[in-house]
Amino acid sequence: MSAVAAPLPALSPTGLALRRLLRNGTAVASGAVVLGVALLAVLAPWIAPQDPTDADLFRRLCAPAWHGETVEPGFWLGCDSLGRDILSRLIHGARVSLSVAALVVGIAAVIGTLAGLAAGYLRGWTDILVSRLVDTLLGFPYLVFAIGLMAMMGPGLHNIVLALVLKEWIFTCRVVRGETLAAREQDYVEAARALGCSPRHIMLREILPNVLSPVLVVATFRMAYVIIMEASLSFLGLGVQPPTPSWGSMVSDGRDFLVDAWWVSTLPGLCILALVLSINLASQGLRDAFDPRLHQSS
């Protein structure tokens, strides 16, 4: 008699989600772009061809390697109005954008998750206070809110993170609260409650693992928006201050030279566009892979 092949072990929900994600070519390519930019940002001090703050007015507004006759050897993407290497500033500027986005989204995800868990499970006055605070913050336009806080606190990297976190946590909170409201009626939560588990145990040990997937998806989506906000504040002069390079401030520096030296503003603008688009496409792939409601029939 022929031997019967042993059945393959069933994949866990996380394993199935990862398999669906890897089959999404657009999401994988977009994620590779994001990881590539992150790698450039980490290795910026070693791979940047020039010092990003080294100014030389003799090479002011020199053109990129493919354009014009005023190309400066070793400055492949040209120079800005102060003669600083644009390529090196783009590489170092990626560190600012990604570090601000990671810090803001990470801190906001922790605060929003804890607040959403408490509001969704405890209900009562906790839910009322958290919900009213969320509704109040939602009433302020994001950029206006951030500009007001930065005007009071002053420019700087730490103040950018604080100003954006004070608004950003509400988006995670709303998602987690909704997921918690649905989870608190599930059988496993009822069983834990019947066994006498404390609310803290139920929220952190029973409900939290089941809301991490939507938190991951929301955090990835929000990173793109935070990058745009940081660039907007830097463009207005309220972000990271010179001589530290930032993509938003680089766009601002070149707005007076759009006709004669379009690359000064266009190149950092294209970097913002490419990174934000890649993050959005990657987060869309994450949502499609980890949302079980999209795969109930599979």
Side-chain angles (χ1 to χ4, degrees), residues 52 58 84 113 173 251 286:
F58 287 103
R84 298 171 296 191
T113 300
C173 179
V251 174
L286 281 175

Side-chain angles (χ1 to χ4, degrees), residues 4-275:
V4 178
L8 295 175
L11 291 176
S12 65
T14 302
L16 289 173
L18 290 176
R19 186 170 68 178
R20 288 192 293 263
L21 178 62
L22 292 176
R23 289 177 177 176
N24 189 333
T26 302
V28 172
S30 301
V33 172
V34 176
L35 290 177
V37 174
L39 184 62
L40 288 176
V42 171
L43 300 178
W46 297 278
I47 64 176
Q50 309 291 337
D51 184 345
T53 62
D54 183 21
D56 186 352
L57 294 180
F58 287 103
R59 55 174 184 258
R60 180 178 183 268
L61 299 179
C62 75
W66 69 84
H67 180 279
E69 300 178 355
T70 60
V71 177
E72 187 77 15
F75 296 84
W76 305 107
L77 296 184
C79 299
D80 62 9
S81 60
L82 296 179
R84 298 171 296 191
D85 180 36
I86 291 179
L87 176 58
S88 300
R89 292 180 64 79
L90 288 175
I91 295 174
H92 281 267
R95 307 186 82 186
V96 174
S97 295
L98 289 177
S99 60
V100 169
L103 284 172
V104 170
V105 171
I107 297 172
V110 173
I111 297 174
T113 300
L114 295 177
L117 283 171
Y121 184 78
L122 299 178
R123 303 301 302 275
W125 283 106
T126 303
D127 189 20
I128 293 174
L129 290 175
V130 173
S131 298
R132 296 295 79 77
L133 179 58
V134 169
D135 292 340
T136 302
L137 290 174
L138 281 173
F140 293 95
Y142 204 146
L143 184 58
V144 175
F145 182 82
I147 289 174
L149 288 178
M150 293 301 296
M152 291 187 295
M153 297 185 298
L157 182 61
H158 296 89
N159 289 343
I160 290 180
V161 173
L162 178 59
L164 296 182
V165 165
L166 289 176
K167 176 85 172 180
E168 191 62 34
W169 68 273
I170 64 177
F171 302 101
T172 304
C173 179
R174 296 176 71 197
V175 173
V176 173
R177 177 182 177 274
E179 295 289 335
T180 304
L181 286 174
R184 73 191 302 270
E185 307 299 333
Q186 298 297 317
D187 292 339
Y188 69 91
V189 175
E190 294 288 348
R193 194 181 296 119
L195 290 173
C197 296
S198 65
R200 178 181 177 183
H201 174 91
I202 295 174
M203 288 188 291
L204 298 180
R205 297 295 182 87
E206 305 295 337
I207 298 178
L208 179 59
N210 293 286
V211 302
L212 288 181
S213 292
V215 168
L216 174 62
V217 173
V218 171
T220 309
F221 265 114
R222 297 306 305 176
M223 280 193 68
Y225 200 86
V226 171
I227 289 174
I228 294 176
M229 291 301 302
E230 183 277 325
S232 300
L233 291 173
S234 296
F235 179 86
L236 296 173
L238 297 173
V240 178
Q241 296 300 289
T244 303
S246 169
W247 288 349
S249 61
M250 291 176 68
V251 174
S252 178
D253 292 341
R255 58 185 173 178
D256 294 331
F257 312 101
L258 290 177
V259 176
D260 299 325
W262 53 267
W263 55 87
V264 179
S265 281
T266 303
L267 294 178
L270 290 175
C271 288
I272 296 172
L273 172 63
L275 182 58

